[in-house]
Amino acid sequence: MNQKFPGAILVASVALACAVPGAVPAQASMPAAAGATTTTTTVTTTTPRLLGGQMPTTLAPAATPGSGIDRAGMDANVRPQDDLFANMNGSWVRNTEIPPDKSAWGAFLQLRDRTDRQVKGLLESLPATRPAAGSDARKLDDFYRSYLDEATIDKTGLAPVVPSLADVDSVADVRALLALMGHWQGVVRGPLVVDADPDFIDPTTYVASWRQGGLGLPDRDYYLKDDERFAKARSAYATYLARLFALSGDAQASGHADQVMALEKKIAQAQWPRDQMRDPKKAYNPKTPAQLAALAPGLDWATFARQAQLPVDATVVVHQPTYVTALAGLLVSEPLPVWRLYLKARRLDTDADVLPAAFRDASYAFHDVAIAGLKQPLPRWQSAVLATNGALGEATGQLYVAQVFPPAYRARAQALVANLMKAYSNSIDGLAWMSPATKAAAHEKLSKYTVKIGYPDAWRDYSALAIHAGDALGNADRAAAFDYRRNIVRIGGKVDRTEWHMTPQTINAYYNPSGNEIVFPAAILQPPFFDVNADDAVNYGAIGAVIGHEISHGFDDQGSQFDGDGKLRNWWTDDDRKAFDAVTGRLVAQYAGYQPLPGKNLNGKLTLGENIADLSGLQIAYKAWKIALAGQPSPVIDGLTGEQRFFYGFAQVWRTKTRDERALQLLTIDPHSPGRFRADGAAINADAFHDAFDTKAGDGMWKAPQDRIRLW
C-alpha cells in the first residue's frame, strides 16, 4: 500500500522520485531538475479511436446483452454455496499456467498485460510521426528506445554511475553522509524518504513529510522473522549484494555484502510494522527544525533538509518518529565505511535495469526470481513500457486516451457512480448502529466527494524534463529528479485538487482521503470490470463493486478519520466509534483465520481497510444495481438470474493465481487480501448472496444471518 493513498483497489503504485541541484558533496553528480516549477497545460485530444478497430458508434448496452460471465472458467464440480470463487474460477485456475515472465496471473494482470501491449503499439508508432525535438512525443520516443537499447547500455558500461560512486567515496563524516542522503532523495532509495503531501490538519496546503524506507528486501519481516522462506530470501539478497559489489570492482565483495546486510537488519529493527502505520493520527507528527533536533539530537538535519530542497524553516511531518530517532543513532554508531557500502548498494540496485547485462542479470535473479518467483525475465519491451509510464506517465496517458478510451465511457461510468452514491446515502440512513448526529456528518462527507473518471482535464507539463537519446540511466535519473522537484517546490503552497496520482493507463483505482476524492483511470473501465455489451448485473458486480470499494474507503478505519474537506478530524460520537470498532474487530478475526500459504495466515489488521472496502463496496453495489433496475425484474440470461450474475461478476474479477514467492511478499507488504479471499470473504457476509444461491446450514459458504458482518 502506498501510505499516501491507502484506498487503491489493487496495490497502488504512486511513484515518488527526487534529486537535488547544488553544492554538497563537491563531486555531486545526480542530475538537477531544470526549472523551479511545473505547470499543467490543458490539452484538447482528438476524437478517440480504438486500437485495431473503429470506435463503437454507441456505448449503450447491446439490444440483447450477454451475461458477461466466462462460463468456460467455471467449475461445475464446486457449488457456489460451498465456494463462490472456486465455482466461478475453478476450471480457469486448474487449467491456467502463470506465464513464465509473470509472478501472478488473473483478471487484473491480464488486463494490465493487454494495456501494456496497447501502450507499446503507441510508443512504437511515434517515429513515423516525426516528432519535433523537445516535444512530449519525442521525449517518449527517446526514453523508450534508449531503455530498449541494451547494446548501447552494455557498451557504455559503468560510466553513468562512476561519478555517483565517487560521491560516496568522498563522504568523510556524518554531515557529508546526511548531505548525500538528502541530495539523492528519490533518485536513490535511502533510509529516510522525503515528500510533499497535503497537511492532514490543513489539507489545502502542502507540507513536507518524512517516512521510513531504504531496505533492499521487501519489508522488515524479511530480516527479522525465522520463517525459512524469509531466510531463503535473505540468502538471495546477500548473494545479490555481493554480485553488485563484485561487478563494480570490489575485491572484498562477499564481506562487504555481509556488512550491508547487518546494517539493514538494524534499520529494519527500528522500523514500524506495516499494520502499526495504518493510524493517521499516529503518523501525524509535525516537527519544527528545533523539534527535529530534539527528536534526533547531534545531527545536522539542516544540511539534510537543504540538500533535499526543503525550505530551511519548514515544519516536517514525521510519520514514524521513533524510527527517525533510532536512525539518527545508527548514523553515528555504525562505521562510516559501512554506510558508504550501503549507499553504493542502493545506488547500483536502483538503476540495475539500465546498467550492463551482468547487473541486469543479477537484479533479475534477486528481484524477479528469488522474491517474485519468475521463471524468465519480463520482455524488455514491457519493462520499457513500465519505465516510460513511470517517467512520462501523463504524456503516455494522453496518447492512450486519444486512441483507446472513448469519451462516452465517462458518461456510462458516471451513471454507475451516481447510483452507487445514492445507494450509499440510503444505506447510511438505514444504519441501526449509528446515531443521527454521526449519520448527518457522514452524509455531509459523502456529499463532498469529488469523482474523477478516465483521465485528467489538464495534462502535466514535461517541458522542463530533459530526455536524451541513448542515455537510459541518465533519462531515468533526470525523470526522477524532475518529478521530485515538481512535487517538493509546492511545500507551503496550495494543494492542486486537479492532480491525478495514477495515470490513465493504470489498471487500478484509488480514494484519496486528503482530497476526499475517488479516481478511476481509463484502463480499468474495460472488461472484465466494465463491459458495455454485458447486462447491468455483471457490470454492477464488477466495476460497481470497484466503485463501491473506493467510496467505502472514505468510511473505513483510516478514511473515516477524515472529514468531507479532507481534514483529519473526529466527526463521530464516542459510542458510534466504539460500535464501528466492534464490527471491524470481527472482520479482523474473520480474515486472520484465512491461510493462503502453509503456516502463513493473513494479517487481519494490515488488511482491515481493504477488507472493509470490499465488504461495503459489494453490498452497496448490489443496492445500486437494484436502484438501476427501477423496480423491473432482471432477466434470466444463460440460465443465471440477475442476482447470481451480480455475484459471479464480482468473483470473476478476483480470478488470480500467484507464485508462492510473490504470495509471501504480498502477505507481508500488501494491505489487500488475496483474490480468493476477497471474493469469498465479502460474499459470505452479503444477505443477497445467500438469497441468490439459497445457501443452507452445512454449506461451505453458509454464515448465519446474525453472524454476518454489515457495516455501510
Side-chain angles (χ1 to χ4, degrees):
M1 174 182 67
N2 183 284
Q3 291 299 323
K4 293 173 69 176
F5 303 105
I9 189 72
L10 203 60
V11 179
S13 179
V14 182
L16 308 176
C18 60
V20 181
V24 181
Q27 291 179 291
S29 60
M30 298 306 300
T37 61
T38 301
T39 60
T40 55
T41 303
T42 301
V43 177
T44 302
T45 58
T46 58
T47 302
R49 307 191 75 81
L50 295 176
L51 288 179
Q54 298 295 311
M55 190 177 78
T57 56
T58 177
L59 292 170
T64 306
S67 71
I69 302 299
D70 175 22
R71 301 296 292 260
M74 299 178 72
D75 187 347
N77 295 315
V78 179
R79 301 165 62 242
Q81 295 90 340
D82 291 323
D83 189 329
L84 176 65
F85 177 90
N87 172 243
M88 178 64 246
N89 303 306
S91 292
W92 181 91
V93 170
R94 185 168 55 253
N95 298 322
T96 299
E97 293 291 333
I98 299 172
D101 60 347
K102 302 295 189 295
S103 61
W105 199 236
F108 271 98
L109 297 157
Q110 287 172 299
L111 184 52
R112 180 177 295 170
D113 202 57
R114 184 163 77 243
T115 301
D116 285 349
R117 292 179 188 278
Q118 291 174 321
V119 172
K120 173 178 181 278
L122 294 169
L123 294 173
E124 293 188 347
S125 70
L126 288 173
T129 69
R130 298 176 182 247
S135 65
D136 282 358
R138 180 67 168 268
K139 291 175 182 180
L140 286 169
D141 187 39
D142 286 344
F143 188 99
Y144 177 72
R145 292 183 180 280
S146 297
Y147 193 100
L148 281 177
D149 188 0
E150 294 174 290
T152 296
I153 292 170
D154 292 343
K155 183 179 179 180
T156 304
L158 274 177
V161 295
V162 165
S164 293
L165 300 180
D167 288 347
V168 178
D169 288 334
S170 73
V171 170
D173 53 32
V174 175
R175 178 178 178 274
L177 177 66
L178 278 168
L180 187 57
M181 287 181 177
H183 179 74
W184 276 5
Q185 272 300 309
V187 174
V188 179
R189 297 181 288 269
L192 197 59
V193 178
V194 177
D195 202 0
D197 301 317
D199 191 320
F200 282 3
I201 299 303
D202 178 13
T204 67
T205 304
Y206 288 109
V207 66
S209 64
W210 290 2
R211 292 179 175 86
Q212 65 189 34
L215 299 179
L217 285 162
D219 184 75
R220 68 190 298 275
D221 284 2
Y222 278 76
Y223 297 85
L224 306 179
K225 293 198 172 180
D226 293 332
D227 188 307
E228 67 176 87
R229 291 167 291 205
F230 287 137
K232 184 179 178 182
R234 288 194 293 270
S235 177
Y237 183 46
T239 299
Y240 176 52
L241 289 172
R243 183 65 174 147
L244 291 179
F245 287 139
L247 290 170
S248 66
D250 188 339
Q252 304 177 60
S254 181
H256 286 165
D258 291 341
Q259 291 179 45
V260 172
M261 282 289 295
L263 174 59
E264 289 193 20
K265 182 176 181 180
K266 292 177 181 178
I267 295 173
Q269 288 170 329
Q271 292 192 348
W272 289 20
R274 289 178 184 264
D275 58 6
Q276 292 183 19
M277 295 190 291
R278 290 189 46 74
D279 188 342
K281 291 179 182 176
K282 291 181 180 179
Y284 186 71
N285 304 284
K287 303 290 182 183
T288 65
Q291 290 170 328
L292 280 176
L295 182 68
L299 292 180
D300 189 357
W301 290 113
T303 292
F304 174 83
R306 280 195 300 273
Q307 286 299 303
Q309 302 183 75
L310 296 176
V312 293
D313 59 348
T315 293
V316 175
V317 174
V318 180
H319 286 263
Q320 298 90 22
T322 58
Y323 169 74
V324 172
T325 301
L327 176 63
L330 291 173
L331 290 169
V332 174
S333 67
E334 297 306 298
L336 200 60
V338 177
W339 277 111
R340 288 197 291 262
L341 290 169
Y342 167 83
L343 290 179
K344 285 184 177 181
R346 297 276 55 79
R347 180 65 179 125
L348 292 169
D349 176 45
T350 296
D351 280 327
D353 282 350
V354 283
L355 285 172
F359 286 91
R360 299 195 298 272
D361 292 344
S363 178
Y364 164 71
F366 171 60
H367 290 291
D368 296 336
V369 177
I371 299 301
L374 268 62
K375 305 303 179 186
Q376 69 182 43
L378 195 69
R380 188 68 179 176
W381 71 261
Q382 197 160 19
S383 296
V385 165
L386 296 174
T388 306
N389 282 338
L392 293 138
E394 288 199 10
T396 314
Q398 195 172 341
L399 295 177
Y400 177 82
V401 300
Q403 291 292 321
V404 179
F405 186 71
Y409 275 31
R410 267 182 161 181
R412 205 50 207 283
Q414 285 166 344
L416 284 165
V417 172
N419 281 338
L420 265 294
M421 295 291 281
K422 183 176 180 180
Y424 218 106
S425 179
N426 293 343
S427 189
I428 290 171
D429 287 333
L431 294 177
W433 55 270
M434 181 176 279
S435 69
T438 306
K439 285 181 181 180
H443 277 298
E444 180 184 12
K445 176 169 185 174
L446 190 67
S447 72
K448 293 183 176 181
Y449 267 47
T450 296
V451 180
K452 297 177 180 178
I453 295 174
Y455 49 88
D457 293 322
W459 297 97
R460 191 164 296 171
D461 179 5
Y462 292 99
S463 60
L465 172 59
I467 299 295
H468 303 308
D471 186 14
L473 190 147
N475 289 338
D477 286 350
R478 284 187 294 273
F482 167 83
D483 197 56
Y484 177 73
R485 180 66 176 168
R486 177 192 67 82
N487 197 34
I488 212 70
V489 297
R490 302 188 294 187
I491 291 172
K494 291 301 180 183
V495 169
D496 179 7
R497 291 295 183 99
T498 69
E499 184 178 27
W500 280 54
H501 302 282
M502 285 179 183
T503 66
Q505 63 273 26
T506 301
I507 315 299
N508 214 331
Y510 67 90
Y511 169 77
N512 171 14
S514 293
N516 194 31
E517 61 183 6
I518 50 176
V519 184
F520 305 97
I524 201 172
L525 299 172
Q526 53 185 316
F529 298 94
F530 180 55
D531 186 349
V532 295
N533 294 313
D535 175 64
D536 264 355
V538 72
N539 276 328
Y540 274 91
I543 195 65
V546 169
I547 295 168
H549 175 106
E550 300 309 337
I551 296 172
S552 298
H553 269 306
F555 299 93
D556 70 12
D557 61 313
Q558 291 178 300
S560 63
Q561 298 186 55
F562 294 81
D563 66 16
D565 296 318
K567 182 177 180 179
L568 184 62
R569 180 181 69 83
N570 181 27
W571 46 271
W572 296 66
T573 68
D574 290 343
D575 287 344
D576 287 338
R577 177 58 73 174
K578 288 177 183 177
F580 178 83
D581 290 343
V583 177
T584 59
R586 293 167 56 202
L587 204 61
V588 169
Q590 175 186 327
Y591 282 84
Y594 296 142
Q595 191 174 94
L597 288 175
K600 187 70 175 175
N601 284 51
L602 272 173
N603 184 335
K605 293 181 179 179
L606 175 63
T607 58
L608 177 59
E610 300 300 332
N611 296 334
I612 290 172
D614 283 343
L615 170 72
S616 302
L618 177 65
Q619 297 184 0
I620 294 299
Y622 185 84
K623 295 175 182 178
W625 173 58
K626 289 295 187 179
I627 290 174
L629 288 174
Q632 298 300 310
S634 178
V636 174
I637 302 176
D638 294 343
L640 300 173
T641 67
E643 289 74 12
Q644 291 169 338
R645 294 195 307 279
F646 173 89
F647 287 100
Y648 278 136
F650 176 69
Q652 184 171 254
V653 300
W654 299 119
R655 175 178 291 180
T656 187
K657 292 181 72 169
T658 306
R659 299 191 192 280
D660 286 352
E661 296 89 344
R662 176 64 170 161
L664 177 66
Q665 181 185 19
L666 293 176
L667 288 171
T668 306
I669 69 172
D670 189 5
H672 304 81
S673 300
R676 179 185 200 100
F677 303 109
R678 298 186 77 167
D680 287 352
I684 200 171
N685 288 301
D687 295 332
F689 166 77
H690 295 280
D691 293 340
F693 293 100
D694 192 24
T695 61
K696 294 180 172 57
D699 291 340
M701 290 285 291
W702 170 253
K703 195 172 191 179
Q706 66 272 20
D707 296 328
R708 296 170 194 164
I709 301 172
R710 307 172 183 88
L711 268 172
W712 294 99

